[in-house]
């Protein structure tokens, strides 16, 4: 074998089996210096590279390129590109012609190419550049292709966008019928992942099932909370024949089902609470309050908290607040919401609340680390629920004239509101991050803001801002408006002000916690 292929690594035998003399390139010994130099460069780099050489674009590639063409190797080696890539030739052929005919190099990002490389026509994405290689006589001898596959990134981004859009669309739903009416246009907007998606009556299969049918492979997800059916419905969707039905695909379908389940469950329970007896409401409130301890008394802060059940009907829910001092003296505040509204949600809330308190006490780390550890603990201990949480820590300010700083991490919860000493109210919005309990490895971020003496920070659950016919964004802006100019009030007075000003027969529980800096807590 020619020493030119010595750097081919695991492809050396494949190169040796090719009868190069029978290819349009001719015997290896006859190859031009430009050809040999290009081959040597391609074989010695660890980045995926292929050469399309001569008028027929004969393929010569390195080890890193093999995984991108999969089953096409080793037959592709030494073959014309039009033969190897017949299914995508309409897309890449003109670009190769441009690069080889003096039209200059090409560049594309995240180009979709439906390629047959694993036994089926597969949806794939690539970022690549075709660059001409010029010989000693000034003629273009071939094309140098540097490529990277971006299929995972493109598909994951598309799926995340759908989940975010679905969650936003269903955030303010009050009736079960409205859930389906709002959800289906969002789901139908992604036919690449959810072809033929529909919500139908549940069958006898498990919570998540994949079956082969005459229409193709179909996945079904029972719309349930804590293993109990929600109205005997299930999400049914064909799986794209152009994507592998791998773990990531099935997790995505399950998350779509979970988002629908939360919305259906929330709407169903809001309707049901109109029919619940007054005694159930009393049980709900008693149980909820027994799980929520008073905030700590400190000399530096005033902390006030309120829990209000739904006004009209009982909803034994999973809303909670917590405030405690860590061993190093750091004040930690938590507001969260467990999915579901029944006694199971209240019990799970107590479990999640106590576990989060224990993790914070043990780790003594920043909020993002605590919530990341909480994700791991919920998965490891089999706590099958979803929760939105804001966890904040208040400590001394470093490098600023402010007395304190607030550092927080938000897992899918409504943002806190900062009320400055000048009366300005600001929603502490940051990049949306996944709620707890999804089972996914989620990025958790810390955010920080200075707290001047006399500042207030209001934490709350979605019951305070959910209104029929109003968007969450509009309701949260309205809530910030209720705080504007109220900096002269104490934490206790602000809690009462928010409850009396914004509560208009809301159908969900409400938790409010207000922190005030630079104030001594009054006698309770």
């Amino acid at each position: 074998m020619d020493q030119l292929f010595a750097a081919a690594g695991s492809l050396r035998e494949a190169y040796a089996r090719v009868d190069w003399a029978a290819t349009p390139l001719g015997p290896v010994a006859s190859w031009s210096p430009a050809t040999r130099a290009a081959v040597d460069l391609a074989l010695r780099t660890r980045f995926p590279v292929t050469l399309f050489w001569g008028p027929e674009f004969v393929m010569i590639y390195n080890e890193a390129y093999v995984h991108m063409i999969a089953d096409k190797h080793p037959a592709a080696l030494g073959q014309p590109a039009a033969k190897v890539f017949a299914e995508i030739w309409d897309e890449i052929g003109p670009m190769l012609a441009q690069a080889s005919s003096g039209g200059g190099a090409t560049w594309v990002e995240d180009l979709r190419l439906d390629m047959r490389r694993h036994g089926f026509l597969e949806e794939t994405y690539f970022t690549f550049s075709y660059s001409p290689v010029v010989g000693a006589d000034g003629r273009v001898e071939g094309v140098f292709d540097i490529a990277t596959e971006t299929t995972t990134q493109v598909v994951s981004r598309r799926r995340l966008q759908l989940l975010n859009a679905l969650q936003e669309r269903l955030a303010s739903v009050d009736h079960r019928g409205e859930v389906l009416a709002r959800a289906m246009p969002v789901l139908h907007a992604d036919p690449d992942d959810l072809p033929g998606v529909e919500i139908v009556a549940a069958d006898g299969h498990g919570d998540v099932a994949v079956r082969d049918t005459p229409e193709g492979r179909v996945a079904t997800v029972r719309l349930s909370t804590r293993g109990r059916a929600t109205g005997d419905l299930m999400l049914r969707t064909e799986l794209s024949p152009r994507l592998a039905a791998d773990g990531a695909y099935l997790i995505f379908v399950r998350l779509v089902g979970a988002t629908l389940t939360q919305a259906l469950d929330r709407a169903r329970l809001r309707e049901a609470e109109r029919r619940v007896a007054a005694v159930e409401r009393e049980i709900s409130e008693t149980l909820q309050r027994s799980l929520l301890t008073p905030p700590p008394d400190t000399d530096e802060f005033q902390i006030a908290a309120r829990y209000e059940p739904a006004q009209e009907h009982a909803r034994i829910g999973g809303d909670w607040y917590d405030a405690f001092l860590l061993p190093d003296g750091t004040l930690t505040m938590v507001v969260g919401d467990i999915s579901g509204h029944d006694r199971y949600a209240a019990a799970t809330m107590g479990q999640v609340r106590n576990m989060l308190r224990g993790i914070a006490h043990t780790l003594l780390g920043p909020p993002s680390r605590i919530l990341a550890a909480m994700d791991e603990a919920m998965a490891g201990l089999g706590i099958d629920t979803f929760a939105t949480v804001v966890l904040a820590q208040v400590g001394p300010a470093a490098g600023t004239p402010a007395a304190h700083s607030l550092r927080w991490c938000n897992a899918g919860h409504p943002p806190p509101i900062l009320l400055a000493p000048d009366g300005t109210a600001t929603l502490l919005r940051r990049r949306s991050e996944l709620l707890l309990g999804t089972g996914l490895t989620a990025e958790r971020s810390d955010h920080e803001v200075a707290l001047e003496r006399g500042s207030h920070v209001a934490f709350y659950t979605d019951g305070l801002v959910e209104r029929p016919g109003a968007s969450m964004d509009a309701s949260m802006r309205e809530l910030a408006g209720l705080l504007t100019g109220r900096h002269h009030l104490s934490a206790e007075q602000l809690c009462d002000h928010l409850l009396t000003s914004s509560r208009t027969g809301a159908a969900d529980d409400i938790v409010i916690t207000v922190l005030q800096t630079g104030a001594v807590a009054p006698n309770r």
Side-chain angles (χ1 to χ4, degrees):
M1 184 175 67
D2 194 288
Q3 287 302 307
L4 177 62
F5 303 135
S10 64
L11 302 187
R12 293 182 65 182
E13 291 186 8
Y15 270 94
R17 288 194 296 268
V18 176
D19 182 4
W20 294 102
T23 71
L25 300 184
V28 176
S30 69
W31 291 1
S32 70
T35 304
R36 298 181 70 90
V39 172
D40 185 67
L41 177 62
L43 296 182
R44 291 184 184 279
T45 182
R46 299 178 64 179
F47 204 85
V49 169
T50 188
L51 304 178
F52 298 105
W53 217 254
E56 295 188 36
F57 303 117
V58 174
M59 292 182 61
I60 306 171
Y61 49 83
N62 63 3
E63 283 183 292
Y65 191 79
V66 170
H67 82 277
M68 292 177 19
I69 60 173
D71 294 348
K72 292 182 181 292
H73 174 76
L77 196 60
Q79 292 296 313
K83 178 180 179 181
V84 176
F85 293 124
E87 70 276 23
I88 60 172
W89 190 247
D90 286 345
E91 287 82 14
I92 69 172
M95 289 187 283
L96 284 170
Q98 173 184 324
S100 64
S101 63
T106 68
W107 169 260
V108 289
E109 292 186 56
D110 299 333
L111 177 66
R112 175 170 176 167
L113 297 172
D114 287 356
M115 184 161 57
R116 194 177 302 279
R117 59 176 184 174
H118 290 116
F120 66 96
L121 201 60
E122 180 181 357
E123 177 186 346
T124 65
Y125 295 86
F126 295 89
T127 294
F128 59 93
S129 174
Y130 289 158
S131 303
V133 179
V134 179
D137 58 359
R139 292 186 301 106
V140 175
E141 294 192 14
V143 176
F144 201 87
D145 174 22
I146 301 175
T148 184
E149 182 170 358
T150 58
T151 303
T152 298
Q153 296 91 317
V154 172
V155 173
S156 297
R157 183 167 60 245
R158 181 177 72 207
R159 292 171 178 172
L160 182 59
Q161 288 171 346
L162 180 135
L163 288 171
N164 287 338
L166 186 62
Q167 197 170 43
E168 181 178 351
R169 191 78 179 109
L170 299 179
S172 60
V173 167
D174 282 320
H175 304 283
R176 295 181 70 200
E178 192 179 359
V179 172
L180 305 188
R182 290 193 182 192
M184 295 314 298
V186 178
L187 301 180
H188 286 154
D190 185 11
D192 289 324
D193 291 306
L194 302 172
V197 64
E198 55 185 344
I199 297 175
V200 298
D203 56 25
H205 292 85
D207 287 347
V208 181
V210 178
R211 306 190 300 276
D212 291 320
T213 72
E215 301 94 32
R217 184 163 287 185
V218 171
T220 57
V221 180
R222 186 178 292 272
L223 304 183
S224 62
T225 302
R226 295 174 301 280
R228 296 180 298 142
T230 302
D232 295 322
L233 296 175
M234 71 178 184
L235 175 75
R236 182 187 186 278
T237 182
E238 298 171 26
L239 297 180
S240 171
R242 300 197 176 190
L243 291 171
D246 54 15
Y249 200 163
L250 297 183
I251 287 175
F252 163 70
V253 175
R254 180 177 180 271
L255 284 174
V256 172
T259 303
L260 293 170
T261 293
Q262 285 187 299
L264 284 168
D265 191 47
R266 182 168 58 244
R268 176 180 62 85
L269 288 167
R270 286 177 181 171
E271 295 167 355
E273 61 185 19
R274 300 183 182 92
R275 300 183 296 271
V276 176
V279 63
E280 185 70 15
R281 169 182 169 84
E282 183 178 351
I283 294 172
S284 168
E285 186 172 351
T286 301
L287 176 60
Q288 192 83 351
R289 292 188 188 281
S290 70
L291 294 171
L292 303 174
T293 56
D297 288 319
T298 71
D299 293 334
E300 296 181 277
F301 310 108
Q302 180 184 347
I303 304 170
R306 299 288 187 274
Y307 165 69
E308 285 289 323
Q311 290 292 309
E312 296 181 6
H313 305 285
R315 291 173 64 94
I316 305 177
D319 293 24
W320 89 94
Y321 63 83
D322 203 0
F324 50 90
L325 296 175
L326 297 179
D328 62 0
T330 299
L331 174 63
T332 299
M333 302 188 67
V334 182
V335 170
D337 188 359
I338 297 291
S339 63
H341 297 89
D342 56 20
R343 283 167 290 189
Y344 297 98
T348 303
M349 178 273 286
Q351 184 181 15
V352 170
R353 172 188 176 275
N354 292 336
M355 183 183 298
L356 186 56
R357 176 181 276 225
I359 289 174
H361 194 275
T362 302
L363 283 184
L364 295 178
S368 60
R369 185 182 172 198
I370 294 171
L371 291 188
M374 188 66 187
D375 265 327
E376 295 177 4
M378 290 175 69
L381 296 176
I383 300 177
D384 187 15
T385 192
F386 297 102
T388 66
V389 177
V390 172
L391 187 146
Q393 295 175 341
V394 184
T400 72
H404 300 91
S405 69
L406 178 79
R407 182 165 56 170
W408 76 97
C409 183
N410 191 331
H413 199 81
I417 301 176
L418 171 63
L419 176 59
D422 64 359
T424 303
T426 305
L427 281 164
L428 298 180
R429 295 179 183 270
R430 299 297 185 268
R431 180 173 61 89
S432 177
E433 295 183 355
L434 284 178
L435 65 169
L436 298 178
T438 65
L440 300 176
T441 301
E443 291 186 8
R444 299 291 179 201
S445 307
D446 289 310
H447 313 286
E448 191 165 0
V449 66
L451 296 181
E452 300 177 36
R453 185 172 297 276
S455 297
H456 300 73
V457 182
F459 304 87
Y460 52 95
T461 55
D462 57 6
L464 189 65
V465 289
E466 284 185 336
R467 294 290 180 272
S471 70
M472 286 284 285
D473 280 348
S475 295
M476 288 188 294
R477 289 194 300 269
E478 180 182 347
L479 187 65
L482 290 174
L483 288 172
T484 299
R486 301 288 177 168
H487 52 290
H488 59 283
L489 298 180
S490 68
E492 296 284 348
Q493 291 170 329
L494 270 182
C495 279
D496 292 335
H497 171 66
L498 290 177
L499 280 178
T500 57
S501 301
S502 64
R503 188 172 184 85
T504 56
D508 202 357
D509 295 353
I510 287 179
V511 161
I512 302 173
T513 303
V514 173
L515 165 72
Q516 181 181 4
T517 65
V520 178
N523 293 330
R524 295 187 176 92

